[in-house]
Amino acid sequence: MDEIPLTLLFLTLALLLLLSAFFSGSETALMTLNRYRLRHLAEQGVGGAQRARRLLERPDRLIGVILLGNNFVNILASSLATIIAIRLGGEGAIAAAAGLLTLVILIFSEVTPKTLAALQPERLALPAAYVYGPLLRLLYPLVWVVNGIANALLRLFGVSPGDAGGNVLSREELRTVLREAGVIIPEQGRDMLLSILDLDQKTVEDIMIPRHEVDGIDLEDPMEVIIETIRTTHYTLLPLFDGSIDNVVGVFHARNALHAVLSGEFSKQRLRAISRPPYFIPEGTPLYQQLINFQREKQRVALVVDEYGDFLGLVTLADILEEIVGEFTTDPSEVTPLLHPQADGSLLMDASVPLRDLNRHLGWHLPTDGPKTLNGLILEYLETIPEPGTALKLYGHPLEIMHTTESAVKTVRCLAPCGGTPRQQAPAQEEI
């Protein structure tokens, strides 16, 4: 070594430090690559992305070859620094050289390249993939031995190196990604995507129109009543029942019935003839599954039944779509509001209002995994039918019972302040 010029030794040491920086930076870059963007680039035909994706399929091998290279150049750099120190200042300079080399490696070969790699991983990772492919093939026997020992130790802790399934996003992780999408996805689009994620968490029972609010035609009613109902209905599709709403015999299109009335061919038999068979669904069907069922069965209205086959309510395709895109606009003149703002800032509410509507319109956070209406929640809370004038604080909201019947709460007043300004309430049965 005494014959080698100091200039060449310094140049070699600088080259080793550059190699160390390359190994350190490329390791961070490859490990912090966005896997979904990498997949997109690979599918677009970007060569570096394709190579990087193949390398990351077995991260243990990639890390093995990187650390072999990095440790080799760092040890060699340390040896050269020792030789240079001895030639310049004797054995007493070795400690100073070790401290100086540690500082240089820390700044120029570790912190700086790794910070750059963390900020711009693609800038380093994709070119580095061209280097690591051939290098891995060249050093594969040595990498295989090292990884074999390391993997055996990992198996002692129950870790399998072949498991590369950690890139699958959970529902909550995907929700976080959507919330942080920023300007990439408009706010309304993000809300729609988040609503789609929630469809599996809600069932048709959460959004159905309760049976007592379902409008329909009873075949036992006089013809005059039936015709007048068809003439004045706001709905396109109506259920047809015989004697009781528990005995639904079909669903018909009001336009077809109106044509029969105008042509003079209308009769109860004709009404049965133009009706399609009722489409029944169980109460626990998730909304996402029901949306698919509507598409597969080519239906737009479904009748919800419980485990005993009793009719519970009605759900439409429009109801599910509103869960995704929000409420459709409705002519206020055709709506009977369930929320009545008062001059003193209080709010009169029909107790049959769904809790989900209160949460949506007023910004409340009432639980929806139990009772579905304000009446149901009050009865569950009090465990009795309250008397008019009863006051209570329900989940932080001061309420006063205004009107009750023998079996239910009918009207409730929310004392000011009671939340946001309510919007116009949708009709009890959505138009199709």
Side-chain angles (χ1 to χ4, degrees), residues 165-309:
N167 297 325
V168 179
L169 291 179
S170 67
R171 181 188 301 273
E172 291 306 316
E173 290 170 338
L174 183 55
R175 185 186 299 277
T176 301
V177 170
L178 290 173
R179 288 200 183 103
E180 296 181 353
V183 297
I184 299 176
I185 304 176
E187 182 178 358
Q188 186 175 8
R190 292 200 305 272
D191 291 341
M192 290 173 60
L193 292 173
L194 290 171
S195 297
I196 292 174
L197 289 178
D198 288 337
L199 286 185
D200 265 348
Q201 307 299 314
K202 302 173 184 176
T203 66
V204 292
E205 186 183 14
D206 293 325
I207 68 168
M208 71 178 183
I209 302 160
R211 54 175 289 162
H212 67 275
E213 296 181 10
V214 174
D215 290 341
I217 299 295
D218 187 354
L219 288 172
E220 292 190 357
D221 286 341
M223 286 295 295
E224 295 78 10
V225 174
I226 294 176
I227 293 174
E228 182 61 24
T229 301
I230 293 173
R231 287 181 183 274
T232 58
T233 185
H234 299 303
Y235 312 119
T236 306
L237 296 176
L238 291 171
L240 180 68
F241 49 92
D242 190 0
S244 168
I245 198 170
D246 291 314
N247 184 27
V248 180
V249 296
V251 176
F252 68 93
H253 202 293
R255 182 178 56 194
N256 295 335
L258 189 58
H259 286 168
V261 171
L262 296 176
S263 64
E265 300 175 355
F266 184 77
S267 65
K268 293 183 179 181
Q269 292 73 19
R270 175 64 175 167
L271 194 55
R272 280 182 177 270
I274 64 175
S275 299
R276 69 176 68 173
Y279 172 45
F280 295 101
I281 60 172
E283 59 183 323
T285 306
L287 293 187
Y288 179 77
Q289 183 59 49
Q290 187 53 46
L291 184 62
I292 296 176
N293 292 342
F294 273 138
Q295 183 182 37
R296 182 175 60 244
E297 301 293 336
K298 295 180 171 55
Q299 299 279 354
R300 299 171 68 182
V301 176
L303 306 178
V304 183
V305 295
D306 62 14
E307 59 182 315
Y308 304 106

Side-chain angles (χ1 to χ4, degrees), residues 349-364:
M349 300 181 289
D350 189 319
S352 64
V353 62
L355 297 177
R356 297 176 65 257
D357 287 349
L358 288 177
N359 291 340
R360 182 185 298 118
H361 297 322
L362 302 180
W364 291 4

Side-chain angles (χ1 to χ4, degrees), residues 22 222 252 338 365 398 408:
F22 167 76
F252 68 93
L338 298 180
H365 297 86

Side-chain angles (χ1 to χ4, degrees), residues 6 35 51 69 75 90 105 157 173 185 192 240 254 294 346 375 401:
L6 281 174
R35 297 300 192 267
R51 293 170 182 266
I75 293 172
I105 289 178
F157 296 96
E173 290 170 338
I185 304 176
M192 290 173 60
L240 180 68
F294 273 138
S346 63
N375 168 60
I401 308 301

